[in-house]
Amino acid sequence: MPGTRVAVVGGSIAGCAAALALHRTGHHDITVHERTTGELSARGVGVAVHEGRYRELAAAGYLDPAMAHLRLHGRHWYVRAPGDGPADPLGRRIRTEAFDFRTYNWGPLWRGLRARVPGTVRFRTGSAVTAAAETPDAALLTTAGGAVEPYDLIVGADGYRSVVRAAVGPGGRPAYAGYLAWRGAYPEERLPDAARWDPAAAAYVVFPGGHVVLYRIPGERGGPRVNWVLYTAPPADAGLPFSAPAAGLDLPGSAPSSVPPGRVGTVLREHLAALTAEHFPPFWRQVIDLTEPGELFVQPMYDAIASPGATGRIALIGDAATVARPHTGAGAVKALQDATLLESALRDGGALPDALRAYDSARESLGRTMVDLGRSLGAALVTGAPDWRTLDDAALAAWWRGADAAGAFGGQRTPEEPEAR
């Protein structure tokens, strides 16, 4: 397919990976449309990659040891039990288990992937796409200025609120799961008692109706950063939607959308503070409380599977194709695995529609497993969480085996070659 004119919609991790996959398969006329004008690498939140999936993605040429990362080897589960006081600042540890992950800072990870994309790929910032369509002769993109641009192939890498998804199939709209993720990250040096927390351990702090995951990530320049994600339902008076979805984005009109750093309202901030005061051991409460307003943001949890996720000239990748809740520990992995599957399908040298069908078959299988896992973990950890105070080591281990019955946490192994349907 040399000479094919290709557009990638979205320039984040999935978009960069897609551009790299396309270039490796002989496509040299590639344009990436990224709607934002700011610096994508400024996003300083955490990304975790299972060590087994890292090895596969490194062998495929998408990750490498030089990309700044930290290693985790353990996961510690904590709960605040009745009567806990200052002598138990971390709370009661229910369980300690192996946890073989690499953690990344989103910004440097994106820069590492962006640097792999050849300079011949045109990367347009401030290029918002409002619609995609397919005709017998071309795939068409409409930009915010009203221009319609023809391409031979379009790859939608534009996230969970994908515009391109609507051109592939109307049935893949994200469904709101009913709860939120509060997120924050800041320099570890701000935390006065950091030595209490094993730097090679992720902490899961559980409370009625939710949990928080905390781990360290590399800093942009210098020491590590504290990174945390807390999952629970919003208060009844939060006023959904929190911010109106942008025009043209494929979400139901009443669905909540993300609230960026510095714009989280009083109701949500006060709810977070009251929750940590009531349910958190002192140390972990302090970790959350030290997050400054400009470092706090909120994301609603969604599920979606685009089926199909490709047509004869349009393919979806990453969250545009499959939205799985972050409990799975495989958000970035899923996007990068999609890129490896797209690369493999295009390398076969068949007609473009056949290649995209082969890609979609392999992509959907992995994606559906992760969506199912996200739903299962969401029920187990948030909406149907047990009384954590009653669990001991053995009970928690059994509970986790039930929540992750497929053993897919961290992502599944990528099949070597996608098979055509």
Side-chain angles (χ1 to χ4, degrees):
M1 290 171 274
T4 302
R5 188 166 186 251
V6 184
V8 177
V9 182
S12 63
I13 286 175
C16 288
L20 184 58
L22 290 161
H23 189 271
R24 286 178 172 180
T25 52
H27 299 83
H28 300 297
D29 187 354
I30 304 170
T31 301
V32 178
H33 296 264
E34 169 52 44
R35 65 185 179 86
T36 64
T37 55
E39 177 57 56
L40 284 176
S41 66
R43 301 175 184 176
V45 296
V47 174
V49 176
H50 186 278
E51 182 64 20
R53 306 294 78 75
Y54 164 78
R55 289 194 294 268
E56 295 168 25
L57 292 166
Y62 288 81
L63 298 177
D64 69 57
M67 293 177 173
H69 66 279
L70 300 176
R71 292 293 301 274
L72 298 178
H73 300 290
R75 174 166 60 173
H76 300 169
W77 293 79
Y78 296 97
V79 66
R80 178 178 170 182
D84 284 351
D88 307 296
L90 299 181
R92 175 166 63 90
R93 188 187 297 186
I94 310 174
R95 179 172 171 78
T96 296
E97 57 196 348
F99 197 73
D100 200 7
F101 278 76
R102 295 180 178 228
T103 71
Y104 296 85
N105 184 316
W106 196 100
L109 177 61
W110 176 83
R111 283 200 301 270
L113 285 166
R114 178 72 180 87
R116 289 171 178 261
V117 178
T120 54
V121 174
R122 293 176 293 278
F123 202 97
R124 295 187 192 170
T125 59
S127 180
V129 171
T130 58
E134 183 173 349
T135 72
D137 301 317
L140 306 176
L141 282 185
T142 302
T143 62
V148 178
E149 300 183 13
Y151 293 93
D152 300 297
L153 168 63
I154 293 172
V155 177
D158 48 340
Y160 82 99
R161 300 186 299 181
S162 172
V163 170
V164 180
R165 186 191 295 123
V168 176
R173 298 177 76 185
Y176 176 47
Y179 61 95
L180 310 176
W182 279 258
R183 302 194 65 160
Y186 57 82
E188 182 196 54
E189 62 191 27
R190 190 182 303 166
L191 190 61
D193 299 323
R196 290 186 179 274
W197 174 15
D198 181 354
Y204 274 49
V205 182
V206 293
F207 57 89
H211 71 295
V212 63
V213 184
L214 309 98
Y215 55 84
R216 294 171 173 88
I217 61 175
E220 287 276 355
R221 301 172 187 82
R225 291 170 64 83
V226 171
N227 179 83
W228 60 268
V229 189
L230 184 150
Y231 303 92
T232 196
D237 57 350
L240 301 179
F242 309 117
S243 57
L249 295 177
D250 187 24
L251 280 181
S254 62
S257 59
S258 299
V259 184
R263 296 180 59 186
V264 177
T266 302
V267 171
L268 291 177
R269 285 189 283 107
E270 290 182 348
H271 180 71
L272 176 65
L275 185 152
T276 58
E278 182 177 1
H279 296 299
F280 274 43
F283 179 83
W284 306 113
R285 177 187 177 185
Q286 180 184 46
V287 172
I288 305 302
D289 287 351
L290 287 171
T291 309
E292 296 179 355
E295 298 162 337
L296 176 67
F297 65 103
V298 172
Q299 296 173 305
M301 294 294 96
Y302 282 94
D303 304 307
I305 301 174
S307 182
T311 63
R313 294 181 179 272
I314 302 175
L316 303 174
I317 189 171
D319 283 350
T322 307
V323 182
R325 304 180 206 178
H327 310 297
T328 61
V333 165
K334 178 170 62 65
L336 295 171
Q337 285 182 326
D338 283 357
T340 67
L341 294 171
L342 181 62
E343 179 180 347
S344 180
L346 292 173
R347 279 193 188 280
D348 283 349
L352 180 59
D354 295 335
L356 295 187
R357 279 194 296 271
Y359 159 70
D360 191 38
S361 177
R363 188 269 327 157
E364 184 177 356
S365 176
L366 284 178
R368 191 171 295 277
T369 296
M370 300 318 295
V371 170
D372 289 345
L373 174 62
R375 289 170 173 159
S376 176
L377 292 178
L381 285 159
V382 183
T383 58
D387 183 349
W388 304 105
R389 298 169 299 176
T390 67
L391 301 184
D392 58 13
D393 182 282
L396 184 61
W399 166 88
W400 179 264
R401 288 193 298 272
D404 181 19
F409 180 73
Q412 287 193 308
R413 182 179 179 84
T414 310
E416 291 186 5
E417 295 288 342
E419 295 179 357
R421 283 189 269 204

